Amino acid sequence: MDLKQIEYFVRVAELGSFTRAAIVLDIAQPALSRQIRQLEVELRQTLLLRNGRGVTLTEAGKLLLEHGRGVLHQVERTREELGRVRGALAGKVALGLPPSLSRVLSVPLSRAFRARLPEASLAIREGLSANMLESLRNGRLDIALLYNPVPAADIDILPLCDEVLYLVELATEGGSSAPVTLAELAAQPLVIPSQPHAIRMLVEAELGARGLRPTVALEIDSVPAILELVADGAGCAVLSRLAVSSSDKAARLRLRQIGEPGLFSRLALVVSAHRPRTLTQQAMQELLREMLPAIIEGKPLPEAF
């Protein structure tokens, strides 16, 4: 066995498909199939059962998957420990951020990451929750920041902080800034993301618990586009203060509190439950826990950053 074959096998097993694994690994599918076949020949075991929908694991395959994950993790830990001998962690972290957070967090986070982990590398990818969850599961992301993630057996969720959501509307002369009830929110024409976006699911759940349904004027999954449409008078939105303040349309918009004590979206750090965290990934998690509360509340970051 060699490490590359183990990595290839783990990816195929996790994704359940040679086609998807070839895309993730950036390798031709016939070459990937040959590597897995060579591994099966060497081990004298059938590891994967091919079918029209992809692949399933044999008992031998399940055992190799369990050990293979451990081997790959230990190799990464060894690289990190050798980096520590030189005085710094040298691993890599792939981080997924929601669009509204990416615009305000990417620069200070990258700066703090370089200062704290100068020999490590960081990749930031922006995406919607469903896409980031899929990337966590197939190994393209190590950590993701998600709003209101739904618990599942294959992910670990660490709640970080709650973010207040507001009714965002066009600021008109003489308009009210008073809070709105959930019943009033239900009557507003909303420009809102489609399901299963976290905000859409939260709004529908909160209203549904009271026998109400949102009035959807437009569905659009881009926060900047939502704010453009609200500023153009197409309707209202439900967003955080952070999402609005980072927009060039902020001066034309008004925020009103929703309900009493308010409507909150929970931001959480999410990782795969199947892959142990490396030292570099653990250091990034700690950095995020330190930075995010100030970012969310719009406060200056401590001097350490």
Side-chain angles (χ1 to χ4, degrees), residues 42-117:
E42 181 177 349
L43 295 175
R44 291 184 292 180
Q45 295 273 9
T46 299
L47 302 172
L48 300 167
L49 298 176
R50 285 82 167 167
N51 56 56
R53 297 182 300 276
V55 298
T56 57
L57 289 167
T58 64
E59 288 302 313
K62 292 176 183 177
L63 186 61
L64 182 60
L65 177 60
E66 179 182 348
H67 286 286
R69 284 170 170 156
V71 167
L72 295 174
H73 178 68
Q74 287 302 318
V75 169
E76 185 60 31
R77 286 292 296 267
T78 300
R79 291 194 182 107
E80 290 186 324
E81 292 292 346
L82 290 171
R84 292 181 70 183
V85 173
R86 298 195 309 272
L89 293 176
K92 179 179 179 180
V93 181
L95 172 67
L97 298 177
S100 59
L101 200 53
S102 176
R103 288 193 296 276
V104 295
L105 183 60
S106 293
V107 171
L109 179 62
S110 299
R111 187 184 300 124
F113 184 88
R114 289 194 302 270
R116 186 171 297 188
L117 302 165

Side-chain angles (χ1 to χ4, degrees), residues 145-289:
L145 295 181
L146 302 178
Y147 287 104
N148 308 311
V150 178
D154 58 351
I155 58 173
D156 290 333
I157 299 171
L158 175 65
L160 293 174
C161 53
D162 289 338
E163 192 170 7
V164 182
L165 296 178
Y166 297 88
L167 177 68
V168 183
E169 59 187 11
L170 182 63
T172 55
E173 187 174 350
S176 173
S177 297
V180 297
T181 66
L182 288 169
E184 290 171 332
L185 172 64
Q188 297 291 331
L190 293 180
V191 182
I192 194 168
S194 59
Q195 295 179 352
H197 192 282
I199 286 181
R200 176 67 175 269
M201 301 300 286
L202 178 64
V203 169
E204 290 195 345
E206 290 293 330
L207 294 181
R210 294 159 178 82
L212 301 169
R213 296 179 62 184
T215 302
V216 178
L218 287 168
E219 288 186 341
I220 188 162
D221 293 336
S222 165
V223 172
I226 288 174
L227 292 170
E228 290 274 355
L229 288 163
V230 173
D232 193 51
C236 303
V238 176
L239 293 169
S240 67
R241 185 181 298 276
L242 190 65
V244 177
S245 64
S246 61
S247 169
D248 58 4
K249 302 296 182 182
R252 300 178 56 191
L253 302 173
R254 178 171 52 238
L255 278 64
R256 300 174 65 184
Q257 183 176 318
I258 300 170
E260 180 62 43
L263 192 62
F264 298 90
S265 184
R266 174 152 293 181
L267 180 64
L269 188 154
V270 183
V271 296
S272 170
H274 296 313
R275 297 186 186 88
R277 264 74 77 198
T278 65
L279 295 174
T280 305
Q281 291 163 12
Q282 292 174 34
M284 169 56 91
Q285 288 181 217
E286 183 60 31
L287 189 58
L288 289 166
R289 282 195 293 265

Side-chain angles (χ1 to χ4, degrees), residues 286-305:
E286 183 60 31
L287 189 58
L288 289 166
R289 282 195 293 265
E290 293 174 18
M291 295 184 67
L292 275 165
I295 293 286
I296 293 298
E297 295 173 17
K299 297 178 179 178
L301 288 171
E303 292 184 5
F305 300 113

